[in-house]
Structure formats: structure tokens, C-alpha cells
Amino acid sequence: MQISKNKVAGIHYTLTDNSGNILDSSKGRDPLFYIQGIGNLILGMEEGLEGKKKGDKFQIKVSPEKGYGVKDPNLMQQVPIKAFGGQEVKPGMKFSTNQGHVVTVTEVSTETVTVDANHELAGVELNFDVEVMEVREATADEISHGHVHGPGGHHH
Ligand code: ZN
């Protein structure tokens, strides 16, 4: 059975950036189960997985446009350093805003702090090593709920 729209697939994956740093991996966990063709995964992954079958091992390269998007300069803001209440602020630190967004500090000067609210993988080219562990039909319930049930999915 091949992966196509409304099939459930279970995959193992390792995600690296172009420098070979591992950003995420399903190794040591259960496979990731998802429903193909309904936006459970980023577009570049769905395109790369389409037509694959159980046992296939391959790589998928995903551009930012088909991944987590390009960086939006409007989501980068300078805020007065006073807003941090005197605590030490360094590039790479993450803070939650009052609206519940996570922002990352990119630059600190004497007066201001530059924070970036883009997804941390925005603008990053993604390299996935993938192995397809299982492909099956989605149930009617899974399709109507938009997620996988049972092993590797929702239990309810
Ligand atoms: Zn459900």
C-alpha cells in the first residue's frame, strides 16, 4: 500500500539542518503516525512521502517555503531592556510574551533587546531521513477528527 491522501502512515525520521546538526528525531520513540494529505505534516514532508510504502528509506529536503516558512521581519522587534526587569538577557534566551508566544532573543544592546517571534525553524532548509514503518487506511473517525487514533495517535 502506498502513502496517498487519507492513508495513515507511521514513519521514523531524523531532522538535520544543512550543517548536519540533529534538530529532532523519532529514534528511541514510537514512530510518528499521521494522516496524509490533510496538513498534519508540513507540505514538503507530505510531498516527499506521497507514493512511498512500508520499508522505504529515503531523504526529503524541504525548503523554508514548504516547511516552517521564511522569516517574517515584522516578527522581529526591539523592546526596551527595562522591560526585562533587570534580569540578565543574552542572545538565544527564550521568553513567553503575555500573549503566550515564544520569542527568542537575537541581540542585546545597552538600551534595547531584539526579539524574534518567528518559528525557530523559519528560514531553515530541512533535511529529513525517513523510514516508512507502516501504511494503512484511515478510519472514517480518523478522517472526520483529522488525526490518528490508537497506537501513536489520540486515545479517546
Ligand atoms: Zn479523534
Side-chain angles (χ1 to χ4, degrees), residues 8-9 33-35 40 136 142 146-155:
V8 170
F33 283 85
Y34 78 101
I35 304 173
N40 280 178
R136 63 168 171 82
E142 287 174 327
H147 55 229
V148 173
H149 292 161
H154 288 244
H155 297 271

Side-chain angles (χ1 to χ4, degrees), residues 9-68:
I11 60 168
H12 271 304
Y13 67 92
T14 297
L15 168 61
T16 55
D17 62 19
N18 284 344
S19 307
N21 299 308
I22 295 177
L23 304 176
D24 190 15
S25 178
S26 65
K27 284 209 177 98
R29 304 199 301 248
D30 288 333
L32 170 71
F33 283 85
Y34 78 101
I35 304 173
Q36 173 77 355
I38 63 168
N40 280 178
L41 300 186
I42 53 176
L43 183 61
M45 279 294 272
E46 290 203 345
E47 286 184 358
L49 284 156
E50 180 77 19
K52 302 294 195 219
K53 55 191 190 311
K54 182 176 176 174
D56 284 351
K57 282 187 184 183
F58 51 97
Q59 291 180 321
I60 302 173
K61 196 170 190 71
V62 178
S63 65
E65 290 79 4
K66 292 184 175 179
Y68 293 95

Side-chain angles (χ1 to χ4, degrees), residues 36-150:
Q36 173 77 355
I38 63 168
N40 280 178
L41 300 186
I42 53 176
L43 183 61
M45 279 294 272
E46 290 203 345
E47 286 184 358
L49 284 156
E50 180 77 19
K52 302 294 195 219
K53 55 191 190 311
K54 182 176 176 174
D56 284 351
K57 282 187 184 183
F58 51 97
Q59 291 180 321
I60 302 173
K61 196 170 190 71
V62 178
S63 65
E65 290 79 4
K66 292 184 175 179
Y68 293 95
V70 294
K71 271 198 189 286
D72 180 353
N74 294 322
L75 293 178
M76 302 183 72
Q77 276 192 327
Q78 292 202 324
V79 294
I81 200 161
K82 287 194 206 88
F84 291 85
Q87 69 180 308
E88 194 186 17
V89 182
K90 287 193 290 200
M93 292 176 78
K94 294 182 194 304
F95 291 93
S96 290
T97 66
N98 295 334
Q99 292 82 39
H101 299 128
V102 175
V103 300
T104 305
V105 175
T106 56
E107 236 180 282
V108 181
S109 73
T110 47
E111 294 291 321
T112 60
V113 174
T114 307
V115 295
D116 183 355
N118 283 289
H119 189 285
E120 60 183 339
L121 293 179
V124 177
E125 208 166 44
L126 308 169
N127 304 286
F128 288 92
D129 263 307
V130 179
E131 180 175 4
V132 179
M133 310 306 290
E134 190 180 333
V135 183
R136 63 168 171 82
E137 297 287 348
T139 65
D141 270 357
E142 287 174 327
I143 291 170
S144 75
H145 290 193
H147 55 229
V148 173
H149 292 161

